[in-house]
Amino acid sequence: MTMNYRPIQFLLVFFLFIGLAPFLEAQAAEPHFARRIVWRGGENALRYAVEIDRSVNGRYQNHAREFTTTLYFDVSLPLGEYRFRIIPHDILDRPAEGTRWFHFEVRQALAPETADAPAVAEFSFAENQQFQIIDVNEQVQENEKLEMRNEGQGNEVQGNEKLGIRYAVAEGLEGGGREQLTGRYNALGVSVGSTFADPLVIATVHGSFAPMRHLFIELGCDIGFVSVYEDVERFFYMYPFAHLGFFAPFREKGGFFIGAGGGYQIVSYTFPYGKAGEQVFGVNVTAGINLGNVFTISYTLRTDFGSASHKAAFGYTYRFK
């Protein structure tokens, strides 16, 4: 006798559906809330990876990982505890050192959601959508304040509840630093120096442009004013130059730079008995330190392969984005 298994299979599928229905319904009905993660710095990055982990039974598990080319990331999340970090990718799409993990919670809003901004899983980021901002810079400051208050007041401070679910993200995603200027040497500056020979006093105007991180191109011009020779009635010195350099930033502000390039030297002397001068190409090697994005100390060695000279200089430099 052959047993008909179809009724049994039907009953198994039916009971399985009945058992899963409440779970599926609960999952479908689970409210989601719009959050926008905002950060500053790292404008030189090609794109950013945003990693979000969710706490499940006390352990963080990967919840989402997306890429964006903007300085913010919009996401819809159910209630729970989360952490996130931002990882910048350079112009070759290589991941750099990211931020530390930032913790936050998604919980019911203190005030009910408005009709114009429902908290649903499927949503569009329209102009009337009400986001709660996760801004990385303020979180660092708020966390420091809360830690200080916790030390002095015990458990009276309730952490994120006092923050009203507003967070902040750290600046400087380039190499994990704090400033947006890190890694690029875009600058304008003036300096005063000396060759300790002719010219005795040199004024320099220079500017640099960084086409990529750490690498910069510098253009400038030296103008000399004083000759060491007593019988010189008039003295003229000009040296326009160009350098290709490498900039290594300090942890906070400023950095160390080296470079090499060339220039065209124009020198003219007027003596009581006549004039003399020369025009010749030269090769330069330079190195220096930028202090606090404000002051620069530099040393330059020059040669035209027939003679050599030195220049030490100190000046003001303005670094910009």
Side-chain angles (χ1 to χ4, degrees):
M1 182 179 66
T2 303
M3 181 178 292
N4 189 352
Y5 290 98
R6 291 197 173 186
I8 297 177
Q9 294 175 348
F10 175 80
L11 290 175
L12 289 175
V13 172
F14 176 77
F15 285 115
L16 180 61
F17 177 78
I18 293 296
L20 289 177
F23 174 77
L24 295 175
E25 182 179 358
Q27 290 294 107
E30 185 177 16
H32 284 59
F33 299 89
R35 294 294 183 269
R36 171 168 289 179
I37 299 173
V38 179
W39 59 92
R40 303 172 195 165
E43 286 84 352
N44 301 323
L46 176 67
R47 59 176 182 168
Y48 309 90
V50 182
E51 295 184 352
I52 302 176
D53 290 354
R54 185 180 185 183
S55 178
V56 179
N57 297 325
R59 299 182 63 181
Y60 282 101
Q61 299 179 3
N62 179 265
H63 183 77
R65 189 177 192 275
E66 300 290 343
F67 286 95
T68 179
T69 57
T70 62
L71 294 178
Y72 64 89
F73 177 70
D74 296 326
V75 65
S76 176
L77 299 170
L79 300 178
E81 297 182 7
Y82 297 87
R83 68 178 184 178
F84 72 91
R85 66 175 179 172
I86 313 297
I87 303 176
H89 286 233
D90 63 19
I91 59 174
L92 300 178
D93 205 18
R94 298 173 300 187
E97 181 181 356
T99 64
R100 64 179 178 84
W101 287 103
F102 292 93
H103 299 263
F104 68 100
E105 293 184 27
V106 176
R107 55 174 64 131
Q108 292 285 357
L110 299 179
E113 300 280 351
T114 63
D116 293 335
V120 294
E122 298 296 332
F123 61 93
S124 59
F125 297 107
E127 293 183 359
N128 62 354
Q129 182 78 28
Q130 292 187 355
F131 288 100
Q132 287 192 344
I133 305 299
I134 302 176
D135 183 347
V136 177
N137 292 321
E138 294 176 0
Q139 182 172 333
V140 175
Q141 300 173 3
E142 292 292 342
N143 286 347
E144 291 176 353
K145 293 178 181 178
L146 287 172
E147 289 175 2
M148 294 176 62
R149 293 170 61 185
N150 274 323
E151 291 177 0
Q153 301 180 15
N155 298 324
E156 294 182 9
V157 179
Q158 298 180 1
N160 292 329
E161 293 182 2
K162 293 291 184 179
L163 296 178
I165 314 300
R166 180 175 176 144
Y167 304 87
V169 177
E171 292 185 3
L173 293 177
E174 306 217 348
R178 293 178 54 188
E179 54 172 321
Q180 300 182 29
L181 302 176
T182 300
R184 294 200 179 224
Y185 195 59
N186 296 311
L188 292 174
V190 294
S191 64
V192 177
S194 176
T195 66
F196 307 102
D198 269 11
L200 188 61
V201 178
I202 292 181
T204 304
V205 178
H206 62 91
S208 61
F209 166 71
M212 61 185 297
R213 192 177 180 189
H214 299 301
L215 186 69
F216 68 90
I217 300 171
E218 181 184 32
L219 299 177
C221 184
D222 290 344
I223 301 176
F225 294 100
V226 180
S227 173
V228 296
Y229 300 106
E230 295 181 357
D231 57 345
V232 173
E233 293 181 344
R234 298 178 60 183
F235 172 70
F236 176 81
Y237 177 92
M238 179 177 290
Y239 190 86
F241 60 85
H243 294 152
L244 179 64
F246 175 84
F247 179 73
F250 296 147
R251 188 173 184 84
E252 294 296 331
K253 296 181 179 180
F256 170 79
F257 61 87
I258 58 174
Y264 188 69
Q265 179 177 275
I266 304 171
V267 183
S268 175
Y269 292 91
T270 300
F271 301 98
Y273 45 82
K275 295 183 177 180
E278 66 174 357
Q279 298 182 13
V280 61
F281 286 99
V283 175
N284 308 333
V285 177
T286 185
I289 298 176
N290 180 268
L291 304 174
N293 297 331
V294 178
F295 300 107
T296 299
I297 302 172
S298 65
Y299 169 80
T300 303
L301 172 64
R302 294 175 176 168
T303 180
D304 58 4
F305 301 102
S307 62
S309 64
H310 311 266
K311 184 186 78 168
F314 175 82
Y316 170 80
T317 300
Y318 173 72
R319 284 186 67 199
F320 53 92
K321 298 179 183 179

